[in-house]
Amino acid sequence: MLTLELQKSLITQGPAYGIKQPLLIVNLTAPVGYPASWESIDAQLARVLGLSSRHSKGIDPSRPFFQQLALRLLSYARMIQTNAGLALHARGKILGTRQTDEGLAISSVAMPYVSPYSGAGLRVARWVFNSLQQLLIAENANSLGSELQKSFEALREELTQLGPRDTNTLRFVHAALQADIPHAWVTGPLFQYGWGAKQCLLNSSILETTPSMGVATARDKHACATLMRIGGLPVPDHGLAEDLPTAVSLAQKLGYPVVVKPANLDGGVGVAAGLNDEHQLTQAWESARRHSDKILVEKHLDGEDFRLIVLDGQMVWAVGRRPAGVDGDGLLTVAQLVEKANQDPRRGHHQGATLRPMRLDEEAMDLLQEQDLTLENVPVAGRFVSLRRAANISSGGTPTVVTERVHPDNRLLVERAVALLRLDLAGVDLIVPNIEKSWRETGGGIIEINAQPQMIAASQTHLYAQVLRSRLPGGGRIPVLVLMGDERIRSLAQEVYQLLRAQGQDPGLAIGRENWFPDGATGQTNRSAYHAARALLMHKDVQVMLWVIHPEDVLLNGLPIDRFDGLVVTDSPNPDQSTSHTDLRKALPMILPHCAGWVIADDSIQEQILRTRGLPTDTRFESGLSSSTLSSQILKRIQRLLGGDSV
């Protein structure tokens, strides 16, 4: 009989054990040895999860059964959440295992989850556990396929609703990870990058320095074009249409071809370009009205479509955008070419997709008819078959990098346009016949400015790190000191806090559930020591943070930061006032892997710290120091960190 159990042990709100995300810690009970057909089980799970190969191929097959099971639990749970678009980047680990006389192994397994969705993380863990359990005892694993598939689809649908609603947020998080920039979810689409005085807030690609007036104006296409026109910049003639007769009248006045688009939406939603007659105009109008009641009719500009990104007054990237379509090869039909193009792994609606699928809808069928083609026709090799009038990436278009080809006049044009809106980051849609020639020579104009540009297409992913670097001096980190132990720690921290203030620094101090701000004011009592520290990290005047905790604070919630610069651990010589050695022994392995600098410890616990795993190799120990000497030592270390010197 196979004995398997999964029990929740702890959910931390922050990192611990060297894992830089919040943790779900479970106890996994399994036999030490069991004859499992892992190859068959992995193949079945790969089919259910839609994987092209076995996800667990990196697991050493010589490991005992209980470790094989735990590692698959970690691996599959992480993969399911990342594939659903959740910003899960850390890898879990087996914290420890004890074996019973009955031949069972009880393993403590740390599984990272994406804040604030601990419940979803637990449901994923249970789904993976239950699926592995069923496959292990099933006489015919293939018979479970449809049942597992159905339950997995329901789980995946739940998870996809939790991920970011735009392509930017997830990629800013990944860019922060690669650049070692601390970050945390705040609320809704709002994320904090960096801590204290070296932080910024982002809502997708809207920066905290982006003026709301510029964003609102850019989103109103009529107002934005009016502003551009008054500012002497080239934009196509247009007008607002309250109803279809007005739209027809405007089109006749402007002269076909025209463009119809919602005046208050981004991303190419409801946009139809190159409309040549009233029939096409009517179809476009009805489509646009499904998305907005504010419709713009605009003179169509001849030329190629380009998106140029401007950051802090400088054009930093440019792509040409070809409308959704396929290139004939003389062998495949139009339908087959579209199907083949949509198999490109870059195309999709998942968070990792850099391109969108092509759709054979009403607009595509109309365009095929205009090109004297049907879905069954075989285009000759090299012929481009257009499926969209507008060249938006969001509707299946394909980008090409042209940054180095942009004519100086075109570069200056988009920089001046963004400056008119007072925006610090924007995407400008420019129509010109040739990006390498001046718009003054060839004609063309600005058709849209996006104050919240999606920057994923055409190898633009480097822009995320560039934006973060422009806003986060020093990588977004401030010195953080953790002080843990008996009552002496509180007095010591307050002394260091006051000394820093006297020297003109701006420290923040969190003691238990209380926090003290740099100006000496105290905040409200927080829910926990974790939240007291997290609150300080939100304030832009905090240059350094002192966090005073008891071991049980860490045991309950983990850490509010992914790493810190120094640790002071004390224990009272009076046994009646001594910190629980059991709690201390449990807390140290949770926090020491996150210490990037130094440790100061009492004689009574120095040996214990030395024997704890995960201690930084460059840690130095000092003990037997008086309170005044200790505060002086701490102050010197903090001053070095604030001055940028190595400790």
Side-chain angles (χ1 to χ4, degrees):
M1 179 178 178
L2 178 62
T3 301
L4 295 178
E5 291 182 6
L6 182 73
Q7 293 183 328
K8 181 184 72 174
S9 174
L10 175 68
I11 296 177
T12 72
Q13 298 192 62
Y17 298 107
I19 301 172
K20 296 184 177 182
Q21 281 191 285
L23 298 177
L24 165 66
I25 300 176
V26 299
N27 291 328
L28 177 63
T29 302
V32 174
Y34 185 82
S37 178
W38 288 120
E39 186 172 351
S40 173
I41 291 171
D42 290 334
Q44 181 64 24
L45 274 177
R47 286 191 289 272
V48 171
L49 301 178
L51 304 176
S52 57
S53 62
R54 292 191 305 114
H55 186 68
S56 56
K57 58 185 179 182
I59 298 176
D60 184 356
S62 66
R63 287 179 177 268
F65 172 78
F66 72 93
Q67 289 185 0
Q68 295 261 11
L69 182 67
L71 292 173
R72 279 171 171 80
L73 178 66
L74 289 168
S75 179
Y76 283 115
R78 180 177 184 271
M79 182 276 300
I80 289 171
Q81 292 176 80
T82 55
N83 283 6
L86 294 178
L88 184 65
H89 52 81
R91 296 184 181 275
K93 64 172 67 172
I94 302 173
L95 299 177
T97 302
R98 64 180 178 87
Q99 296 187 16
T100 69
D101 295 336
E102 292 77 22
L104 297 176
I106 303 175
S107 301
S108 179
V109 182
M111 310 179 67
Y113 71 88
V114 177
S115 179
Y117 306 120
S118 59
L122 182 58
R123 285 189 288 278
V124 171
R126 293 199 183 282
W127 185 90
V128 175
F129 173 79
N130 292 334
S131 299
L132 289 170
Q133 184 179 42
Q134 292 178 60
L135 290 168
L136 282 164
I137 63 177
E139 295 183 3
N140 181 7
N142 291 329
S143 63
L144 289 172
S146 59
E147 178 183 339
L148 293 178
Q149 186 71 51
K150 183 177 180 180
S151 62
F152 172 66
E153 292 296 339
L155 177 65
R156 181 167 60 182
E157 178 63 26
E158 174 191 351
L159 295 175
T160 54
Q161 299 304 311
L162 303 179
R165 311 318 301 171
D166 67 287
T167 60
N168 282 326
T169 298
L170 191 62
R171 286 166 179 83
F172 270 120
V173 169
H174 288 319
L177 285 169
Q178 293 175 357
D180 193 31
I181 293 171
H183 57 279
W185 173 79
V186 178
T187 182
L190 200 63
F191 272 73
Q192 177 184 358
Y193 297 88
W195 302 140
K198 295 184 177 181
Q199 66 161 298
C200 68
L201 296 178
L202 269 71
N203 177 347
S204 180
S205 57
I206 295 180
L207 315 179
E208 64 178 26
T209 52
T210 302
S212 59
M213 178 183 65
V215 174
T217 304
R219 285 180 173 168
D220 186 332
K221 292 180 173 62
H222 174 64
C224 185
T226 300
L227 179 64
M228 295 294 109
R229 188 176 292 110
I230 294 174
L233 302 184
V235 292
D237 293 334
H238 70 267
L240 286 170
E242 297 179 353
D243 50 35
L244 181 57
T246 304
V248 172
S249 176
L250 277 170
Q252 292 172 345
K253 179 180 178 181
L254 294 170
Y256 289 101
V258 296
V259 178
V260 167
K261 56 186 176 184
N264 53 358
L265 295 177
D266 296 324
V269 177
V271 177
L275 306 174
N276 292 306
D277 54 43
E278 187 173 330
H279 171 70
Q280 293 179 355
L281 176 71
T282 301
Q283 288 182 313
W285 168 269
E286 293 173 350
S287 175
R289 287 287 290 184
R290 289 196 288 268
H291 303 285
S292 173
D293 58 0
K294 191 175 182 182
I295 307 300
L296 202 68
V297 179
E298 182 177 272
K299 178 62 179 175
H300 178 87
L301 294 180
D302 290 326
E304 297 182 41
D305 190 305
F306 298 92
R307 163 63 66 88
L308 301 96
I309 303 294
V310 177
L311 173 64
D312 294 329
Q314 301 292 319
M315 193 211 82
V316 295
W317 200 248
V319 293
R321 302 184 295 184
R322 188 175 76 165
V326 292
D327 292 303
D329 62 2
L331 300 173
L332 301 179
T333 66
V334 172
Q336 291 170 331
L337 289 169
V338 172
E339 181 181 3
K340 180 180 178 181
N342 283 339
Q343 291 173 356
D344 185 335
R346 296 175 300 169
R347 293 191 183 274
H349 292 287
H350 54 87
Q351 290 293 342
T354 59
L355 299 173
R356 293 291 182 243
M358 299 183 195
R359 300 194 310 272
L360 293 172
D361 55 9
E362 185 177 3
E363 180 180 355
M365 301 308 293
D366 285 346
L367 279 168
L368 286 177
Q369 185 176 0
E370 291 179 19
Q371 298 167 86
D372 295 324
L373 291 171
T374 68
L375 293 176
E376 290 71 35
N377 288 143
V378 177
V380 298
R383 179 181 180 182
F384 177 69
V385 179
S386 180
L387 300 172
R388 276 291 179 277
R389 291 186 173 89
N392 299 91
I393 304 302
S394 59
S395 60
T398 305
T400 303
V401 179
V402 297
T403 307
E404 301 302 323
R405 295 166 45 198
V406 178
H407 189 279
D409 282 354
N410 299 335
R411 178 187 296 266
L412 290 173
L413 171 62
V414 298
E415 291 173 352
R416 186 164 292 279
V418 172
L420 267 182
L421 290 173
R422 281 48 168 183
L423 293 172
D424 44 18
L425 175 64
V428 182
D429 293 343
L430 180 68
I431 300 287
V432 288
N434 188 337
I435 196 67
E436 298 182 54
K437 294 185 178 181
S438 170
W439 66 272
R440 298 180 181 277
E441 175 187 347
T442 65
I446 296 169
I447 60 170
E448 186 174 337
I449 296 181
N450 195 322
Q452 188 177 348
Q454 303 297 317
M455 301 185 296
I456 180 57
S459 302
Q460 296 176 40
T461 50
H462 69 283
L463 294 179
Y464 295 103
Q466 184 173 344
V467 171
L468 290 176
R469 285 194 301 269
S470 73
R471 296 299 184 274
L472 297 170
R477 294 189 181 275
I478 62 172
V480 176
L481 176 62
V482 177
L483 303 97
M484 183 170 66
D486 59 18
E487 288 302 315
R488 290 181 297 164
I489 282 289
R490 184 185 185 98
S491 299
L492 175 64
Q494 290 174 326
E495 182 179 353
V496 174
Y497 169 79
Q498 296 297 351
L499 286 171
L500 285 169
R501 291 189 64 209
Q503 293 182 0
Q505 305 294 346
D506 290 318
L509 170 62
I511 301 181
R513 295 190 298 157
E514 301 176 355
N515 41 36
W516 298 16
F517 298 112
D519 56 6
T522 58
Q524 67 174 8
T525 301
N526 296 274
R527 286 179 287 167
S528 67
Y530 170 91
H531 290 95
R534 184 72 187 87
L536 284 177
L537 295 170
M538 289 289 297
H539 291 267
K540 297 200 76 169
D541 58 343
V542 176
Q543 293 180 335
V544 56
M545 185 177 79
L546 309 174
W547 188 39
V548 180
I549 54 171
H550 290 288
E552 54 265 32
D553 295 327
V554 178
L555 295 175
L556 287 174
N557 292 301
L559 298 168
I561 65 281
D562 60 338
R563 74 168 185 254
F564 54 91
D565 302 284
L567 172 66
V568 179
V569 187
T570 67
D571 196 14
S572 173
N574 184 344
D576 295 334
Q577 300 176 358
S578 178
T579 300
S580 167
H581 282 287
T582 300
D583 286 349
L584 192 61
R585 188 173 62 252
K586 291 179 180 179
L588 288 173
M590 293 180 71
I591 67 175
L592 280 172
H594 299 271
C595 181
W598 42 268
V599 175
I600 299 176
D602 279 346
D603 285 330
S604 59
I605 55 178
Q606 181 171 337
E607 181 182 355
Q608 182 178 10
I609 292 177
L610 281 167
R611 290 188 285 106
T612 303
R613 295 180 180 179
L615 196 64
T617 57
D618 59 349
T619 296
R620 296 197 295 270
F621 294 92
E622 299 183 29
S623 57
L625 299 174
S626 66
S627 177
S628 60
T629 303
L630 188 55
S631 63
S632 176
Q633 291 287 332
I634 294 171
L635 198 63
K636 288 179 181 178
R637 285 173 165 82
I638 292 175
Q639 292 290 11
R640 292 175 191 170
L641 290 168
L642 289 170
D645 297 332
S646 60
V647 177

